[in-house]
Amino acid sequence: QVQLLQSGGGVVQTGGSLRLSCAVSGTAFAIGTTNWYRQGPDNERELVATITWGGSTSYGDSVKGRFAISRDNAKKTIYLQMNSLKPEDTGVYYCQATVTRVGRPANTYWGQGTQVTVSS
């Protein structure tokens, strides 16, 4: 059984920083591409950042230069460092990972979501 456990959300003032974590638990698996999404008050889910197994990264236009995605393969954890936060960054953030288990095809898993609120 693979699970993604998120942590690190909260309330921060405009201009502040937060770091989100997404820990992948389970046995005998490999983590492929991982994404961070966010869902704002309009309930639209927006792709925020992506990191591949090899470490290549990409970002949504609204967060470029402010957010950084990284991964620690030994800890099986993916991070999202969020700096210079703005009220429009408010939302529920979800990590999504493609995971391959021994003897099974790759599957996509989601974290439970974590609330980020940026006050003006």
Side-chain angles (χ1 to χ4, degrees), residues 14-48:
T14 297
S17 298
L18 284 172
R19 188 176 81 157
L20 305 182
S21 299
C22 176
V24 185
S25 65
T27 57
F29 62 85
I31 307 170
T33 296
T34 303
N35 301 302
W36 283 99
Y37 286 86
R38 69 183 176 198
Q39 189 165 336
D42 59 1
N43 278 333
E44 292 290 322
R45 193 163 287 191
E46 174 190 5
L47 177 60
V48 174

Side-chain angles (χ1 to χ4, degrees), residues 30-34 51-56 71 73:
I31 307 170
T33 296
T34 303
I51 187 166
T52 66
W53 167 253
S56 297
R71 59 193 292 163
N73 290 329

